[in-house]
Amino acid sequence: MSGPAPSFRIRLSWLHAWPGFIAGLFLICIFISGSLSEFDTEITRWMQPEFRPSAAPPSPAALDRAGVLLAEKTQGGRRGMISLPGPRDPALRVIYADRGERAEVILSPEDGHVVQVRETAGGMLFFAFHHHLNMGRVWGSNLTTALGVALVVILVSGLILQLKALLPELMLFRPGAQTRRAWLDGHLMLAVLALPFYILMAWTGSLIHAERFFPGVGAERPPAQMQEARSAPSRDMSGAGRHGHDGRRARAGEGGGHAPAASLASILADARGLMGETGPGRVQIARDRISVMQADGHLPGPGGLRLDYDRVSGARLKTPPAQDAMAQTRQTLSALHMGHWESLPVRWLYFLLGLAGAGMMAAGMTLFLIRRRQENRAVQSVPLRMGEALLMTSAGGMPLACLAVFWANRLIPAGMEGRAGMEGLVFNSVWTACLVYCLFRAFSGRTRRGWHDLMLLTGLAGLTLPVLDIATGGRLPVHGDFVFAAVDLTGFVCGAAALRLASFLRRKVGAVYPVMQERAA
């Protein structure tokens, strides 16, 4: 005779705990890489110290040279565009698809000559990882979309479970209490204070590729727009992309392309008068037309103005028809998620809340393992040891692997071919090494020591990042260029926080998992 059926609260608790732990192994990495993606442009600038920004707007000669180079690089129907200098990125870039990856050439805004900078994956490495976890655009994007749905379920189930005792728990925050109590308080505090942000990110992230799960969600677009969408370079091309590569080939092939007959300078002047303060941000050149897209604004919206001009005469063509309500809604949600509209303070807020999301997941997963350990006294339980190792790899190994990319960018010789791929290889190799080390520590019964060592290495890598920057070509914050100082300071602060945690773990034996039986040294 079977016993009573589990109550609704027990079922809900299972839904919050087990799927939460499994999905959390990925979500921690997604939160961290998403935070870094908020400053992907600034990270790319830090990784190309040879580039010296110019305050002068692009000259007509530079724009014409960009048009020649773009036509040269997009022969055969390849995607490409010209990215105009802006407040975040002062470079004139010709961006195109090379063997399925995002590639680019930087031109001088004065005369259009190719600026020789080191090839780098740049901030796109973190954006690509956030977008598809380096699993490919199809399978990886489907997985991140499913994880977004799972995050909504985890958040809602956790809110229902703690709804009655939520306010008293927050009012009695006790970081120095018994370990299980302290982890629960930290988990609740990080979850509740940023709950609207988590729900917004999970919801909008799921809807970006919702048509892959629900085909009816995708908005209908005219055939011309569909063709332009296929030919336009996207921020989320497969792979991290290669910034600054192909400069030598571009220089050798100067003059080999066919620039538009119309002057890009006059076209941009006309577009600037219609687009107002924001101004044009990107230019695409098709077989019969030149399209100018408005730069990202400071408010979330369904996309900026797009103007089309005749490629030969430069005359403005009829304005493209407005998108329907569904397409505008999807673009607005995508802008909210990706930060196409955010000002600097809002991007810093997104950055900090993303790190808080990683901390929320890590605290909840730690609490999950503590409870499982108390329920199952078999210390040598393989699933528990595996869970401990995977959590260490996700929460402790991911920050170390990200910092390793910054170090690799400055230590790999600047002129070496394939540098971008090597930076990605360093990221994967360091993270894999962390996994092996975490498995060793977990199955040897010394999990706390594994956490301590990861935090110590992360702290040292972050604290010494400013020294590395200055020693390898970085610039002091002069002439209003604070990108290098901001990246260095952020690495220093994160390193100091990691060292503080390592010091705490060194003093408090068993402070993380007090019920674990650490082996004697």
Side-chain angles (χ1 to χ4, degrees):
M1 184 176 181
S2 60
S7 65
F8 172 75
R9 186 175 183 82
I10 293 178
R11 294 179 183 272
L12 200 62
S13 178
W14 183 93
L15 183 65
H16 182 72
W18 284 96
F21 183 85
I22 297 172
L25 296 172
F26 299 95
L27 289 172
I28 290 176
C29 304
I30 290 176
F31 271 120
I32 294 175
S33 57
S35 293
L36 293 173
S37 297
E38 286 298 317
F39 296 101
D40 56 351
T41 301
E42 290 77 9
I43 290 174
T44 299
R45 289 181 58 190
W46 187 93
M47 292 184 174
Q48 291 178 328
E50 302 86 359
F51 173 71
R52 305 288 174 171
S54 173
S59 66
L63 292 173
D64 290 341
R65 173 70 192 107
V68 170
L69 189 57
L70 180 62
E72 185 179 306
K73 295 296 183 182
T74 55
Q75 292 178 357
R78 290 190 296 177
R79 300 176 290 176
M81 70 176 183
I82 300 172
S83 176
L84 301 173
R88 290 185 64 190
D89 185 8
L92 176 63
R93 301 177 186 268
V94 176
I95 305 173
Y96 58 96
D98 182 16
R99 294 187 295 273
E101 293 186 353
R102 183 184 189 271
E104 68 177 35
V105 175
I106 299 179
L107 303 180
S108 169
E110 285 83 6
D111 55 10
H113 75 268
V114 175
V115 179
Q116 296 298 323
V117 295
R118 66 185 66 194
E119 177 188 338
T120 179
M124 285 299 296
L125 185 148
F126 304 112
F127 179 86
F129 185 90
H130 175 77
H131 178 63
H132 50 61
L133 299 173
N134 290 348
M135 296 182 181
R137 295 188 64 187
V138 177
W139 292 104
S141 298
N142 288 343
L143 177 58
T144 53
T145 301
L147 289 170
V149 176
L151 180 58
V152 174
V153 174
I154 294 166
L155 292 171
V156 173
S157 60
L159 183 63
I160 295 174
L161 286 171
Q162 299 292 337
L163 193 58
K164 290 184 178 180
L166 192 57
L167 185 59
E169 294 285 0
L170 290 177
M171 297 298 291
L172 297 175
F173 178 58
R174 295 146 289 190
Q178 183 185 8
T179 303
R180 178 173 172 177
R181 180 81 268 168
W183 280 113
L184 178 60
D185 289 349
H187 176 65
L188 291 177
M189 182 187 69
L190 292 174
V192 173
L193 295 183
L195 184 62
F197 172 80
Y198 302 146
I199 293 179
L200 175 66
M201 290 298 102
W203 181 47
T204 55
S206 301
L207 290 179
I208 290 176
H209 297 294
E211 69 276 4
R212 295 182 178 179
F213 292 92
F214 308 101
V217 175
E220 286 293 330
R221 292 189 286 183
Q225 285 188 333
M226 290 294 293
Q227 179 61 33
E228 290 169 0
R230 294 189 189 101
S231 62
S234 63
R235 188 184 182 195
D236 53 3
M237 284 183 183
S238 177
R242 291 169 287 174
H243 296 267
H245 101 297
D246 212 22
R248 288 181 293 276
R249 283 182 286 169
R251 182 175 56 190
E254 286 182 1
H258 301 281
S263 170
L264 286 181
S266 60
I267 288 176
L268 290 176
D270 178 79
R272 193 173 292 109
L274 296 174
M275 293 179 176
E277 181 182 354
T278 305
R282 297 173 298 279
V283 177
Q284 291 180 358
I285 300 178
R287 183 171 302 175
D288 60 343
R289 68 183 61 195
I290 299 173
S291 299
V292 180
M293 276 73 69
Q294 190 172 14
D296 299 326
H298 297 291
L299 291 174
L305 179 65
R306 193 193 86 181
L307 299 174
D308 291 339
Y309 296 83
D310 185 86
R311 178 165 177 166
V312 177
S313 66
R316 190 190 317 147
L317 303 178
K318 184 178 179 180
T319 303
Q323 294 178 316
D324 57 30
M326 179 176 290
Q328 292 182 6
T329 301
R330 293 182 68 248
Q331 285 194 9
T332 300
L333 295 176
S334 176
L336 280 170
H337 185 88
M338 295 185 181
H340 289 172
W341 60 278
E342 300 158 10
S343 61
L344 182 61
V346 176
R347 282 190 284 122
W348 273 112
L349 179 64
Y350 269 45
F351 176 83
L352 295 175
L353 292 178
L355 295 182
M360 171 198 69
M361 298 302 303
M365 294 164 67
T366 301
L367 184 63
F368 172 85
L369 290 177
I370 291 175
R371 288 176 174 174
R372 300 290 85 74
R373 180 68 69 189
Q374 290 176 340
E375 294 173 0
N376 182 7
R377 296 294 179 177
V379 178
Q380 298 299 326
S381 172
V382 173
L384 280 176
R385 293 298 191 189
M386 184 64 69
E388 294 159 6
L390 293 177
L391 176 56
M392 274 195 292
T393 305
S394 181
M398 178 68 178
L400 181 58
C402 292
L403 283 170
V405 175
F406 289 83
W407 277 80
N409 171 263
R410 294 302 181 86
L411 296 181
I412 299 174
M416 182 176 292
E417 290 289 340
R419 291 185 79 260
M422 293 186 66
E423 290 173 0
L425 180 62
V426 168
F427 175 82
N428 294 328
S429 299
V430 171
W431 206 15
T432 302
C434 290
L435 172 61
V436 174
Y437 179 75
C438 292
L439 287 170
F440 167 73
R441 285 302 184 189
F443 280 92
S444 63
R446 310 195 65 176
T447 307
R448 183 193 61 84
R449 179 60 184 271
W451 278 105
H452 169 268
D453 293 346
L454 287 179
M455 291 299 102
L456 179 62
L457 290 175
T458 302
L460 293 176
L463 281 177
T464 55
L465 189 64
V467 179
L468 172 72
D469 181 26
I470 296 174
T472 55
R475 298 192 293 275
L476 297 176
V478 294
H479 306 300
D481 189 2
F482 294 94
V483 169
F484 289 81
V487 174
D488 294 343
L489 182 60
T490 302
F492 184 87
V493 171
C494 293
L499 275 187
R500 178 68 182 88
L501 182 55
S503 176
F504 174 80
L505 294 174
R506 186 179 181 86
R507 294 195 315 268
K508 298 280 189 178
V509 178
V512 179
Y513 297 111
V515 293
M516 291 183 181
Q517 300 177 6
E518 299 275 359
R519 289 184 178 178

